[in-house]
Amino acid sequence: MDLPESKKTIRPLNTGGIAGGDKFIAEGIFFKFNNDEHGIYNGNINANKATFHELRGYSTIANFLLPNLRFPLFLVLDYHGHQVSCMALLPISSKTLAYGSSDAGATVHRKESIATHISELGVRLNLKSHIVSVKPAPVSLHLACDVEGHIGDDGRYYILDIARLLPPEPPVAGNASSIFYQLLRPELVEKYPIPLCADAFSMFAIHDPRSSDFCQEILAVTDTIISQVVPSVAKKLDSIGRLISYEVV
């Protein structure tokens, strides 16, 4: 990684995207060395957290057993102090993008054929459809704007770049970028009484007149965790501890 680019056996790729990271392709695998070169995550450690959210997102989707929506084989490994995400190559390109955005919302795609299946995923996750673009006409998505859906060269539907599959926690004071790596757990989102917006607190949702409501709903979730869930779990753990008898040897 520290060699000059001219001396590398495998040269890095320029695949576009906003999040950054050094990218390579070898033996049919797409490798990405995660780093925060554009300052989006406020540090490499937080960029690594986002990668693990992507890994957990694929596990969550796999549990739904959606027959018409496919995703890549994906793993995360640590190598000589670097965190590397590894993804099997798919039969896709910039021309196959049919849902979401690959340029931070400047261009938003939504083809109905794949949107139907992604919306099914959104409903299963208890996510709220929201407007992410108004030009040339309003575009509504169930998932975060930067999650990508592709109609592959083989005609199949693929979903990837799902680090923001789930809604964020409220941003930390003085660190608005925390919404990109501090996310709610899928179990909580799925069981919450109302659907939540994956783009809450982000610029992607500003075109939706309900954007402030999205943020208030996330704040209410956080309050529920602090005021109800945590005390309830603590009480149960305390009662279990009282039932256990300890033998001092």
Side-chain angles (χ1 to χ4, degrees):
M1 283 298 298
D2 296 323
L3 286 174
E5 185 174 322
S6 61
K7 294 186 178 181
K8 291 180 179 179
T9 304
I10 302 174
R11 301 293 176 85
L13 303 172
N14 181 12
T15 59
I18 304 298
D22 297 311
K23 302 158 187 172
F24 305 84
I25 290 178
E27 303 297 329
I29 301 174
F30 180 88
F31 297 91
K32 178 180 174 182
F33 285 74
N34 304 312
N35 60 61
D36 188 30
E37 61 181 301
H38 299 309
I40 295 175
Y41 299 103
N42 196 28
N44 289 345
I45 292 177
N46 297 328
N48 292 344
K49 291 179 181 178
T51 300
F52 277 107
H53 283 303
E54 184 165 13
L55 179 63
R56 184 170 65 181
Y58 288 126
S59 297
T60 299
I61 295 174
N63 290 334
F64 290 144
L65 301 175
L66 298 173
N68 297 307
L69 201 58
R70 292 168 169 81
F71 52 88
L73 294 173
F74 187 91
L75 65 86
V76 179
L77 57 86
D78 293 310
Y79 179 76
H80 286 242
H82 297 279
Q83 187 186 81
V84 188
S85 57
C86 313
M87 183 182 76
L89 288 180
L90 300 175
I92 64 172
S93 67
S94 60
K95 297 180 180 180
T96 63
L97 181 60
Y99 189 97
S101 176
S102 62
D103 55 9
T107 307
V108 181
H109 303 262
R110 190 185 189 277
K111 289 188 177 180
E112 196 60 35
S113 57
I114 188 173
T116 298
H117 302 294
I118 293 182
S119 293
E120 180 184 355
L121 171 62
V123 171
R124 296 283 293 274
L125 287 167
N126 198 28
L127 297 177
K128 182 172 294 185
S129 178
H130 57 288
I131 298 172
V132 297
S133 176
V134 293
K135 294 182 180 179
V139 178
S140 294
L141 302 178
H142 248 102
L143 305 186
C145 185
D146 50 357
V147 171
E148 295 184 15
H150 289 255
I151 302 177
D153 293 331
D154 57 359
R156 295 175 174 175
Y157 302 132
Y158 295 94
I159 185 170
L160 65 154
D161 284 355
I162 61 168
R164 294 201 317 117
L165 181 68
L166 296 166
E169 296 179 5
V172 177
N175 181 18
S177 65
S178 67
I179 63 171
F180 297 121
Y181 57 85
Q182 291 186 345
L183 309 183
L184 299 175
R185 293 189 63 83
E187 299 86 354
L188 174 65
V189 176
E190 291 172 38
K191 294 179 180 179
Y192 199 66
I194 63 171
L196 301 170
C197 179
D199 276 328
F201 293 104
S202 79
M203 296 297 291
F204 294 120
I206 61 174
H207 299 292
D208 197 304
R210 304 166 296 167
S211 59
S212 61
D213 295 334
F214 301 154
C215 299
Q216 290 301 316
E217 289 161 358
I218 298 297
L219 288 169
V221 175
T222 306
D223 181 69
T224 299
I225 295 172
I226 296 173
S227 64
Q228 299 179 32
V229 177
V230 172
S232 176
V233 172
K235 186 176 180 179
K236 288 181 180 179
L237 291 175
D238 185 60
S239 64
I240 293 173
R242 292 175 185 275
L243 294 175
I244 299 175
S245 60
Y246 296 93
E247 181 179 351
V248 180
V249 178

